[in-house]
Amino acid sequence: MKNGRRIAILTGGGDCPGINAVIRAVTKKAILQYGMEIIGIEDGYHGVIHNRYRKLEYKDVSGILTLGGTILGTSKTANPYRYAIKKGNKLEFKDMSKTAVRNMKKLDIECLVCIGGDGTLGIAHDLFRDGIPVIGLPKTIDNDLRGTDITFGFDSAVWIATEGIDRIHTTAQSHHRVMIVEVMGHHAGWIALHSGIAGGGDIILIPEIPYKVDVIAKKVKERSRKGKRFSIVVVAEGAKPKGGDIVIQRIVKESSDPIRLGGIGFVLGEQIEKRTGVETRTVVMGHLQRGGTPTPFDRVLATRLGTRGVDMIENKEFGYMVGVRGEALVKVPLKDVAKGPRIVPLDDPLIDAARSVDTCFGD
Ligand code: F6P
């Protein structure tokens, strides 16, 4: 340590485009402006518990602005407060938070920078309460974090999903089919809403507006009558029918949030085909939405968030996340971030805009 200043950084939860851009922003500014030493913790909170980390030099983050994923690795299951340990076929959960706190204290860091979504930042808040100085940076393709208008990764995911919808259009038109594009988003409909509008989806289904299959079928038939012999349905993985339930793809027992969504597109496909007689196919965008290079918007956002985060460390503003409000960056108490997902409000102007251009929400 040149001047006795050291910080650590970790990435938790699902990867997404823009994480490396944030790591780069934090590391470069902390080194250049404050002469800090940066410790990169590996695989999210696993690294905190098992002391897996390495020093990040300037050269390590040079050239990673456009790189997808995270150079540090991540984990969607590691939670120091409920750490899953496999014993044969059995899974046990242990509170390892004391180990985590002890390890972080031993590292002699000024701050632990936690890059993640609600799960990762919820844990960051718990660590803060247990005496570790932390700050949070908002990452998730789902855009469902409280306290911020937008998270980095979202714009890239919307871009990828839109690209998928655009490409589906031509095959839908050529074969006169209903094409269903299932997108991610967890329990929030942000990706479906934005990519659905951007891609000109005829029907957009989001978790916040439970749908009726009959309404969807009516819309498809109406389009056929008007000479549009194809329809594009953009469905969020968390969408559900009125009075019905979400479709669960798998349960990840090790995870504090064990439900993995997926498959609604196929369920819906059968139902639409049966009711309309129009041949229907489903495409699941899945993890493609988390891959590849970040959009220019996400690179800029990541750079803004990361550099502001370093200023917060300098000002000793711990226990906060950097959030976006309009054009401004704001500090948001981590305790407010960890209060559950930010879903699409029913009065979101985008819903109204979409309805005005004849988009059906299945309600
Ligand atoms: O939170 C990001 C996300 O991609 C969600 O949109 C999706 O529901 C989930 O993660 C998928 O999780 P996994 O990577 O465990 O399949």
Side-chain angles (χ1 to χ4, degrees):
M1 269 192 274
K2 256 193 272 166
N3 58 5
R5 304 193 69 179
R6 178 186 282 160
I7 62 171
I9 184 164
L10 67 77
T11 57
D15 71 333
C16 76
I19 302 186
N20 286 326
V22 173
I23 296 173
R24 167 186 178 269
V26 170
T27 305
K28 281 195 172 182
K29 178 160 177 167
I31 291 174
L32 293 176
Q33 198 152 326
Y34 300 113
M36 293 174 181
E37 183 182 287
I38 320 298
I39 302 294
I41 306 219
E42 293 170 0
D43 300 334
Y45 292 109
H46 279 309
V48 169
I49 290 160
H50 299 293
N51 279 321
R52 287 211 312 263
Y53 52 81
R54 62 182 189 265
K55 194 173 158 182
L56 287 183
E57 310 268 11
Y58 187 96
K59 65 172 171 35
D60 298 318
V61 297
S62 183
I64 65 168
L65 174 66
T66 58
L67 197 65
T70 159
I71 58 164
L72 293 175
T74 187
S75 166
K76 287 194 79 163
T77 53
N79 177 351
Y81 294 85
R82 192 174 173 272
Y83 197 68
I85 297 166
K86 264 196 182 144
K87 285 198 175 151
N89 284 337
K90 270 182 135 186
L91 201 60
E92 284 178 10
F93 292 94
K94 214 172 154 188
D95 183 353
M96 301 285 282
S97 58
K98 287 205 168 65
T99 308
V101 169
R102 196 172 50 241
N103 289 347
M104 287 303 96
K105 288 202 165 146
K106 260 199 219 149
L107 265 185
D108 195 20
I109 48 173
E110 262 176 64
C111 180
L112 174 63
V113 179
C114 299
I115 302 173
D118 54 352
T120 304
L121 297 187
I123 295 167
H125 176 243
D126 292 338
L127 287 173
F128 175 65
R129 268 196 332 221
D130 285 342
I132 303 299
V134 302
I135 65 151
L137 297 172
K139 168 242 66 161
T140 166
I141 63 163
D142 303 334
N143 200 33
D144 62 348
L145 259 191
R146 283 176 191 257
T148 185
D149 294 350
I150 192 156
T151 55
F152 71 85
F154 173 63
D155 186 66
S156 302
V158 168
W159 197 93
I160 297 162
T162 305
E163 168 84 9
I165 299 165
D166 287 350
R167 286 178 189 272
I168 284 302
H169 253 97
T170 50
T171 182
Q173 260 163 344
S174 309
H175 289 268
H176 318 299
R177 285 175 173 163
V178 172
M179 292 298 300
I180 300 178
V181 181
E182 180 182 311
V183 299
M184 280 185 165
H186 209 211
H187 296 294
W190 295 108
I191 299 179
L193 183 60
H194 283 248
S195 64
I197 292 175
D202 307 299
I203 296 151
I204 299 176
L205 305 174
I206 60 175
E208 295 82 353
I209 306 178
Y211 63 81
K212 289 188 193 138
V213 183
D214 287 339
V215 173
I216 300 169
K218 200 170 145 219
K219 177 74 179 176
V220 170
K221 284 191 206 156
E222 179 195 302
R223 280 177 54 79
S224 296
R225 264 200 314 278
K226 288 182 180 166
K228 291 280 189 184
R229 295 170 63 201
F230 73 96
S231 289
I232 304 287
V233 182
V234 179
V235 59
E237 61 180 359
K240 51 182 176 297
K242 204 160 191 250
D245 227 333
I246 47 171
V247 176
I248 295 173
Q249 194 199 52
R250 66 168 69 208
I251 302 284
V252 182
K253 287 193 194 132
E254 300 92 307
S255 177
S256 307
D257 184 8
I259 291 177
R260 296 293 180 269
L261 300 168
I264 183 73
F266 294 104
V267 174
L268 209 55
E270 261 187 42
Q271 294 171 334
I272 293 176
E273 190 168 279
K274 211 180 262 170
R275 281 175 171 74
T276 61
V278 182
E279 211 184 345
T280 302
R281 295 283 189 276
T282 296
V283 171
V284 179
M285 292 299 296
H287 294 81
L288 283 175
Q289 292 157 101
R290 300 216 311 241
T293 190
T295 56
F297 178 89
D298 272 337
R299 296 177 201 182
V300 172
L301 180 60
T303 306
R304 289 177 71 205
L305 292 168
T307 51
R308 172 58 68 89
V310 176
D311 288 337
M312 274 175 33
I313 298 170
E314 175 65 9
N315 299 333
K316 301 197 185 317
E317 294 168 320
F318 302 125
Y320 291 97
M321 175 190 83
V322 189
V324 181
R325 283 275 158 72
E327 291 301 303
L329 294 183
V330 292
K331 52 177 205 185
V332 185
L334 279 172
K335 68 169 175 6
D336 296 344
V337 174
K339 279 184 184 156
R342 182 182 73 97
I343 57 174
V344 179
L346 291 180
D347 61 353
D348 190 288
L350 271 188
I351 296 177
D352 195 41
R355 288 197 200 274
S356 320
V357 294
D358 209 16
T359 306
C360 167
F361 282 87
D363 58 337

